[in-house]
Amino acid sequence: MIPDDYFALCAIDIAYWDYYSRKQSKTLRSFWSKEEDPTPLTSYTIGIDSLEMMQQKIIEKPWPIYKIKLGTADDIFIVESLRKITDAIFRIDANCAWTAQETIDNAKILKELNVEFIEQPLKADDIEGMKRVRMHAVLPIIADESCQRETDVETCSEIFHGINIKLMKCGGITPALRMILNAKEKGLLIMAGCMTESTVGISGLCQIAPLLTYLDADGALLLKEDIASGVDFNFGQIVYSKDFGTGVKMLEK
């Protein structure tokens, strides 16, 4: 059933917005922001791997902000080692792997290592643990797995400092806009993220970038082959297509 298939809902929603804005001869983002409004830089993901491979990925892809995936027995050592080869901002995605006390303790060390925030350190159902973390952690804590649908914003506002909105999980731009409005009313930091997805999805995602605090839109950069052109990035900065709508054009095979 489509009502339960959020990927399908997202595809339909973005396609409609793209069609409507092209018919109006407007860029999609112009419906809620000015063309010249600033946008946050996107992070570039460094997945869990051997330390040598993680370091090599950073060397091969100079970037202003890295999202470091963690969830090992050597997480702090990994960040300390990566810090030795770059002065870029780090964001940590702990992949639900830490306890509340680990998060509180790790945050103190990570703050000194120029880490901006920690994403989803605890399992989504550890509500009591997150209450402790929010009270005592010295870094902002951003919800990911805990914030998938519109209704999750209310719960997250009580136990996180911010939320990560993924269009593929919430059902598209339309619900994302409502989530952003709700989150702003609650004083939350607002991030939007992605899956490993093509420029079709990333170009849709980047239309809401002017409304965000943080952006994680590197999905298409991680692909061996893409299927479309549209939004691009210059050292983390969004480079929008000059075309209307989302700016997407399918590539010829």
Side-chain angles (χ1 to χ4, degrees):
M1 295 290 290
I2 285 183
D4 299 319
D5 188 336
Y6 285 84
F7 177 87
L9 288 171
C10 177
I12 293 168
D13 185 79
I14 293 177
Y16 173 77
W17 273 111
D18 183 49
Y19 171 79
Y20 179 74
S21 53
R22 286 177 193 260
K23 292 292 285 186
Q24 302 296 315
S25 297
K26 298 176 68 173
T27 62
L28 179 46
R29 65 189 181 282
S30 67
F31 284 97
W32 44 78
S33 64
K34 297 177 181 178
E35 298 288 337
E36 65 272 16
D37 282 352
T39 57
L41 299 177
T42 186
S43 54
Y44 184 83
T45 302
I46 304 297
I48 296 177
D49 207 325
S50 68
L51 178 57
E52 291 76 16
M53 282 302 299
M54 294 175 79
Q55 290 175 322
Q56 187 61 33
K57 289 175 183 177
I58 288 176
I59 292 169
E60 291 176 354
K61 190 73 172 181
W63 211 253
I65 306 171
Y66 293 103
K67 175 174 166 180
I68 311 297
K69 294 266 193 176
L70 297 177
T72 76
D74 301 309
D75 284 344
I76 296 300
F77 175 73
I78 289 172
V79 179
E80 289 174 336
S81 299
L82 296 180
R83 175 51 69 211
K84 293 177 181 178
I85 63 170
T86 178
D87 59 359
I89 293 170
F90 286 169
R91 297 170 179 173
I92 299 302
D93 184 353
N95 287 305
C96 309
W98 297 348
T99 66
Q101 192 58 52
E102 279 181 308
T103 304
I104 293 166
D105 293 341
N106 287 348
K108 296 174 184 176
I109 302 171
L110 294 172
K111 185 176 182 180
E112 298 302 314
L113 293 169
N114 195 23
V115 167
E116 192 170 26
F117 62 73
I118 300 170
E119 186 179 340
Q120 197 70 42
L122 276 58
K123 291 182 172 60
D125 60 358
D126 191 354
I127 304 298
E128 293 305 312
M130 272 310 311
K131 288 180 180 178
R132 280 187 60 210
V133 169
R134 188 184 188 211
M135 183 177 297
H136 298 292
V138 297
L139 286 174
I141 311 296
I142 308 295
D144 184 6
E145 284 81 359
S146 293
C147 189
Q148 300 191 44
R149 312 283 186 255
E150 289 186 64
T151 53
D152 293 331
V153 177
E154 188 71 35
T155 302
C156 288
S157 69
E158 300 175 357
I159 56 177
F160 289 91
H161 301 102
I163 59 170
N164 182 10
I165 300 169
K166 291 182 177 175
L167 302 187
M168 301 292 177
K169 291 186 177 182
C170 74
I173 290 173
T174 302
L177 290 172
R178 292 193 292 262
M179 292 173 76
I180 290 169
L181 179 61
N182 192 6
K184 286 188 175 181
E185 289 175 348
K186 291 176 168 46
L188 292 170
L189 300 168
I190 305 170
M191 175 180 172
C194 62
M195 318 297 278
T196 302
E197 56 193 73
S198 75
T199 292
V200 175
I202 298 301
S203 294
L205 168 63
C206 285
Q207 301 306 309
I208 64 172
L211 307 177
L212 306 174
T213 318
Y214 309 117
L215 180 65
D216 177 30
D218 66 341
L221 299 176
L222 304 175
L223 297 177
K224 185 176 181 180
E225 293 184 7
D226 205 345
I227 62 171
S229 63
V231 160
D232 201 354
F233 298 95
N234 179 18
F235 198 58
Q237 182 65 53
I238 300 172
V239 180
Y240 287 106
S241 166
K242 297 185 183 301
D243 293 329
F244 297 131
T246 64
V248 164
K249 288 184 178 179
M250 302 306 294
L251 300 176
E252 296 183 7
K253 293 184 179 180

